[in-house]
Amino acid sequence: MKKALIAMSGGVDSSVAALLIKEMGYESIGITMKLYDNEDIGEKKENTCCSLDDIADAKAVCYRLGIPHYVFNFRDSFNEQVIERFIRAYETGATPNPCIDCNRYIKFDRLLRRMYELEMDYVVTGHYARIEFDERLGRYVLKKAVDDSKDQSYVLYSLTQEQLAHTLFPLGFMNKTEVRKTAEENKFINAKKHDSQDICFVPDGKYAEFIEQYRGKSYSKGEFVDKNGNVLGEHKGIIRYTIGQRKGLGLALPAPMYVCEKDLENNKVVLCSNEELFSKELYANELNLITCDRISEPMKIKAKVRYNQKEQSATVEQVGDDLIHIVFDEPQRAICKGQAVVMYDGDTVVGGGTII
């Protein structure tokens, strides 16, 4: 009998994934990853941490399914690989993507290693995506979920061949209403639980305050300038702004202006018009290619530069061992350094990288 290690966040998706895997006949263990303590994220120690509630919900579902439940402490790895990367990105003028880092370094790295240690066969998560073995390519491929509105293939592009071979996504063929209905029919405690929207370690969404508290320092004020260097006002610290931002600048300007650049050396935030935010090309590194080892010649693809964007037509060329150049057919708004660009061929993920 095949054995499955099911990552259970306490939410409805991973709970239904656990139910489906058990029904498929896998010998199953539910695990919840402890990723941080209250003190790590600036909460009072005595406050009930949301993650404790989540652990209790996951445990209740496992009890109902008759499978064991354990908690794995990955706090040190999460601090180093997710929280530190998140903060360093803002400090260096980039826009981070912590969900991708968590998938790359925690869920499908640390968890896979734990799977091997326990002599199990698969890691299971509640992600909305599909994995298939493509006989023609002789490779595992990652595909978009059937429910396009819930598809999470963008945050999973970093999966390697080994990880794809040992991962199961049972929700890839379901839509969210089916998942909730299944949870209700099985009387899961979390059947009506809301989906988490925010970054888990910044539950109030105030990431600049989180960074200052975590680092134990404030970031110095500086100047807002236009592209010609004219001073427009004072900013409150360079970490507080992202490319494309208009709201919250605190400026009275004759026309709307948007953040288009962060000059770290001079501690200046550069503003421009909306039209000036558009560009047609990007370079990306930290590549992970799924359908091939290397892009040997220019290739027509669809690509997206943020999670909730519709894929856009483009041409990609690999210009180095770890470097691609993408030129879009139409200009794209606010391409951000630090975000992921993910490439598609139909509903199949070709691969992706980090925009530089």
Side-chain angles (χ1 to χ4, degrees), residues 72-118:
F72 292 168
N73 189 340
F74 291 156
R75 183 183 159 209
D76 289 347
S77 295
F78 190 78
N79 264 321
E80 179 188 343
Q81 301 288 10
V82 181
I83 296 180
E84 271 295 331
R85 284 173 184 275
F86 175 83
I87 293 172
R88 280 201 305 275
Y90 275 114
E91 289 177 333
T92 55
T95 304
N97 210 317
C99 295
I100 288 174
D101 287 338
C102 187
N103 285 333
R104 175 179 267 169
Y105 299 108
I106 310 297
K107 285 180 187 153
F108 300 102
D109 180 47
R110 285 297 307 275
L111 205 52
L112 204 75
R113 280 189 266 158
R114 192 62 63 90
M115 178 203 80
Y116 285 129
E117 288 164 13
L118 294 169

Side-chain angles (χ1 to χ4, degrees), residues 1-4 6 13-29 61-62 64-67 124 168 170-171 174 178-179 181-188:
M1 185 189 286
K2 293 286 189 184
K3 298 177 181 178
I6 306 163
D13 292 332
S14 54
S15 299
V16 171
L19 168 72
L20 295 174
I21 287 296
K22 183 167 186 276
E23 286 179 344
M24 288 177 204
Y26 288 84
E27 185 181 323
S28 303
I29 293 176
V61 169
C62 285
R64 188 159 192 86
L65 292 175
I67 65 174
V124 178
L168 299 173
L171 304 190
M174 296 180 75
E178 283 179 274
V179 169
K181 187 164 177 277
T182 303
E184 284 174 18
E185 285 169 354
N186 286 273
K187 298 183 169 54
F188 286 172

Side-chain angles (χ1 to χ4, degrees), residues 124-340:
V124 178
T125 73
H127 283 104
Y128 288 82
R130 293 175 290 148
I131 297 169
E132 293 175 8
F133 186 78
D134 187 310
E135 297 284 355
R136 185 177 57 86
L137 297 174
R139 302 171 76 96
Y140 286 91
V141 293
L142 175 68
K143 295 194 160 193
K144 290 164 72 171
V146 168
D147 183 351
D148 203 41
S149 68
K150 294 301 292 181
D151 173 59
Q152 291 174 295
S153 59
Y154 175 85
V155 295
L156 296 164
Y157 81 86
S158 64
L159 286 169
T160 65
Q161 285 297 302
E162 182 193 9
Q163 290 164 348
L164 289 165
H166 291 279
T167 300
L168 299 173
F169 295 141
L171 304 190
F173 290 93
M174 296 180 75
N175 61 47
K176 188 69 183 208
T177 49
E178 283 179 274
V179 169
R180 286 230 183 260
K181 187 164 177 277
T182 303
E184 284 174 18
E185 285 169 354
N186 286 273
K187 298 183 169 54
F188 286 172
I189 192 170
N190 53 12
K192 291 187 165 67
K193 190 173 184 177
H194 290 301
D195 293 343
S196 55
Q197 298 295 335
D198 297 314
I199 296 164
C200 66
F201 54 90
V202 193
D204 60 3
K206 296 177 179 175
Y207 69 89
E209 285 86 341
F210 165 78
I211 292 171
E212 291 187 329
Q213 175 270 323
Y214 192 91
R215 282 285 192 250
K217 69 174 190 180
S218 57
Y219 293 79
S220 55
K221 296 177 179 178
E223 293 173 342
F224 281 120
V225 296
D226 64 18
K227 283 192 150 186
N228 297 317
N230 299 311
V231 177
L232 303 172
E234 182 182 73
H235 72 67
K236 296 176 180 174
I238 214 155
I239 63 163
R240 295 178 180 274
Y241 307 96
T242 55
I243 305 302
Q245 180 179 338
R246 182 178 75 122
K247 290 183 177 173
L249 301 181
L251 297 174
L253 299 166
M257 293 191 82
Y258 302 79
V259 176
C260 64
E261 191 185 327
K262 293 191 270 188
D263 177 354
L264 297 172
E265 202 176 324
N266 300 300
N267 193 25
K268 291 180 180 180
V269 176
V270 184
L271 305 182
C272 69
S273 68
N274 186 54
E275 292 73 34
E276 291 173 296
L277 278 175
F278 285 80
S279 53
K280 282 188 80 166
E281 58 187 310
L282 63 83
Y283 286 88
N285 66 4
E286 297 182 346
L287 301 181
N288 184 61
L289 299 175
I290 296 176
T291 58
C292 57
D293 288 325
R294 187 182 176 93
I295 297 169
S296 54
E297 55 188 38
M299 178 181 177
K300 286 297 290 182
I301 48 150
K302 294 281 186 80
K304 60 188 204 172
V305 296
R306 58 183 64 85
Y307 181 74
N308 54 9
Q309 183 191 25
K310 192 178 185 322
E311 299 104 69
Q312 305 292 315
S313 295
T315 302
V316 60
E317 187 173 6
Q318 188 161 348
V319 293
D321 286 342
D322 187 35
L323 190 65
I324 53 172
H325 179 216
I326 293 179
V327 180
F328 289 94
D329 292 3
E330 300 291 334
Q332 303 300 306
R333 187 182 186 277
I335 297 174
C336 295
K337 184 175 81 168
Q339 287 282 283

